[in-house]
Each structure stands twice: as C-alpha cells, then as structure tokens.
C-alpha cells in the first residue's frame, strides 16, 4: 500500500444524503468493502492514521466531517470549534480517502428530528459526570452516520477511549454488523496526544500540556493518583475533572474479574479541556 495517493487521485465531496447514497452505491458497485472514519474535522495526523488504517482493511474509505451540535452543551465550544474544510479535504486526498461526507446540521437533524439514543454501561461516569449530554449526542450521530454510510468497518481512536467503548456497545446492542476497530493514540514527540482542540492552547499552555501524559505514566508505574493531581495543579492545570483507573472493557470499577486496566483523565488547561488515557 503506498503511503500517499497518486497525483491523479481525487477525493469526492458530497453534502446531502441523496448524493452520499449515490456515491456509496458507486463505490460498492464492484463489490468493494467500505471503511468509515467519522470525524469533526480540523484533521491532524491522528485522524489520518485512522484513514490509512481503514484503507489497509477495506477497498474504499469514506470520512465524514460534522461538528455535531447534539454532543455539545450550550456552554461548550461548538461555535469556536476549529473548521478547515479545504485543508481537511487536501489532507484526506493525500492519504487516498475516496469520499468525504460533509453534511450540514439540517441534513442530519431536519426540523422534524425527534429521536435520541440514551446509553448506560460504558457511557456511565467519567465524561458523563462532566458532560451529561455527550454520549447521547455521540451515539445518536454515530448511529445516523452508520445507517447512512452502511460501512463494513469503522475505525475510531483510543484517544477517546470511553467513546470507543460506547460505539462498540451501540453496534452490539443494535446488531449493526459493523466491525469496530480501535487504533492507539497518535502523540506529539513530547507525548501530548494530538487533538483538534490543541489549537486553542497558548504557547505557555502548550509547553505545560505534555505533563498530562507524563502524569499518567507516573501513575501507571506505581505513583499515586493524588500525587499526580497535586503535581498537575502545581504545573498550572486549572481544574481536574477526573483521573481514574478503570476496567478497560466495562469502564466500571476494577474487580477481581478485571483482565486489563485503563487510566483515563480529563482536565482543563486555561480554557481548553484535554483528555487522555493509557493502558495501566
Ligand atoms: P474527532 O474529530 O475529535 O471527533 O475525532 C475523530 C476520530 O479521530 C475519533 O475516533 C478519535 O478518537 C480519533 N482521534 C482523535 N485524536 C486522535 C489521536 N491523537 N490519535 C488517534 N486517533 C485520534
């Protein structure tokens, strides 16, 4: 598989459901399998790693770019979330994405849209304690996108570890028959997990941000969560939403049946909320 697409290759853009359906029918006509990567845009190398991986698993790759209002609270950053359609499409073209779906809000949520998916299990606690609307918004949009695109495989990042668990449960519960693949977090050389929201960080905050990954590794290697929280507060993190050690499969508390553990964190650096997690 070449790392970059040939010069003649063009990523097709669609914005409406009929156009998406027609393009998907075209992609599928020769019996091709379809890999899907849902995103909110402002694409970085973490997103592109998912697209490359989807490309290695399937014949064709579809990426959606949609900043989903349903998963943002009124106080959150929906309006200032970074948007760069031209840059995103160029990046997707460089890694051989076949089709990019760019629906507007009224394409996904027309006026008569009245349904919501509510989940328990892995959706309880952690992010939900601080963003109660979040997983209902994610599960609802992912479900819609899956029905629209009908992929064979969908690739998600472990960067959003709880989200990955929620999507796995969603697909299992509703018998969607889509293979959900999780990929390890892509990081900067100093350990900071790539994130579209890193663009919000001031140079001073950017210098402090890698301490989050360092703190998680210190806990994994035997340090206490309390010491790590104190160190992060000293370093300048404004508010720690959570740092928690959980069962990696259920995301519940560790029990004697726990087979693998995950250390998950969310905290604020100035006005930016960072999340990260590692195996522990
Ligand atoms: P987002 O655009 O933030 O909604 O993310 C879209 C997808 O990219 C999700 O599956 C994320 O988990 C994944 N993703 C975001 N950042 C990274 C990263 N640093 N490494 C790997 N995957 C990522």
């Amino acid at each position: 598989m070449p790392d970059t697409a040939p010069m003649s290759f063009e990523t097709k853009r669609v914005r409406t459901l009929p156009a998406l359906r027609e393009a998907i029918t075209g992609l599928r006509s020769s019996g091709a399998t379809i890999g899907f990567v849902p995103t909110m845009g402002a694409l970085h190398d973490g997103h592109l790693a998912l697209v490359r991986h989807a490309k290695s698993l399937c014949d064709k790759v579809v990426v959606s770019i949609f900043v989903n209002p349903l998963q943002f609270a009124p106080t959150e950053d929906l309006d200032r979330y970074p948007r760069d359609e031209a840059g995103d499409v160029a990046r997707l073209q460089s890694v051989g994405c076949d089709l990019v779906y760019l629906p507007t809000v009224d394409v996904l949520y027309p006026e008569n849209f009245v349904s919501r998916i509510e989940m328990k299990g892995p959706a309880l606690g952690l992010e939900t304690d601080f963003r109660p609307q979040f997983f209902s918004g994610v599960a609802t949009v992912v479900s819609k996108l899956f029905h629209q695109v009908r992929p064979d495989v969908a690739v998600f990042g472990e960067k959003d570890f709880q989200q990955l668990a929620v999507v796995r449960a969603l697909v299992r519960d509703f018998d969607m028959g889509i293979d959900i693949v999780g990929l390890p977090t892509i990081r900067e050389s100093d350990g900071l997990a790539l994130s579209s929201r890193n663009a919000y960080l001031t140079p001073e905050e950017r210098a402090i941000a890698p301490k989050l990954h360092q703190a998680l590794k210190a806990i994994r290697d035997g340090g206490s969560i309390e010491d790590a929280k104190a160190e992060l507060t000293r370093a300048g993190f404004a508010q720690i939403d959570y740092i928690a050690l959980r069962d990696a499969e259920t995301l519940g508390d560790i029990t004697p049946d726990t087979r693998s553990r995950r250390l998950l964190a969310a905290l604020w650096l100035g006005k930016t909320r960072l999340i990260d997690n590692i195996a522990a």
Side-chain angles (χ1 to χ4, degrees), residues 1 3-4 45 47-57 95:
M1 191 71 224
D3 215 33
T4 52
D45 286 351
H47 297 113
L48 298 188
L50 306 186
V51 177
R52 283 199 189 90
H53 193 70
K55 199 93 188 145
S56 76
L57 298 174
V95 291

Side-chain angles (χ1 to χ4, degrees), residues 4-71:
T4 52
M7 289 298 283
S8 58
F9 177 85
E10 200 173 326
T11 301
K12 189 176 165 59
R13 277 181 232 203
V14 291
R15 299 178 194 277
T16 66
L17 189 51
L20 176 74
R21 290 247 152 94
E22 193 186 328
I24 297 274
T25 303
L27 291 181
R28 281 226 185 263
S29 59
S30 51
T33 55
I34 294 189
F36 178 43
V37 181
T39 79
M40 297 205 300
L43 301 180
H44 50 63
D45 286 351
H47 297 113
L48 298 188
L50 306 186
V51 177
R52 283 199 189 90
H53 193 70
K55 199 93 188 145
S56 76
L57 298 174
C58 298
D59 300 315
K60 303 288 180 187
V61 175
V62 179
V63 172
S64 62
I65 297 178
F66 180 64
V67 184
N68 175 33
L70 233 53
Q71 70 194 62

Side-chain angles (χ1 to χ4, degrees), residues 37-50 64 66 71 81 155-161 163-164 183-187 192-197:
V37 181
T39 79
M40 297 205 300
L43 301 180
H44 50 63
D45 286 351
H47 297 113
L48 298 188
L50 306 186
S64 62
F66 180 64
Q71 70 194 62
Y81 196 84
V155 184
F156 288 80
E158 288 184 348
K159 159 83 181 359
D160 300 277
F161 197 82
Q163 171 175 282
L164 175 58
L183 270 201
T185 303
I186 306 294
R187 299 179 181 279
L192 176 64
L194 298 192
S195 165
S196 307
R197 289 191 168 99

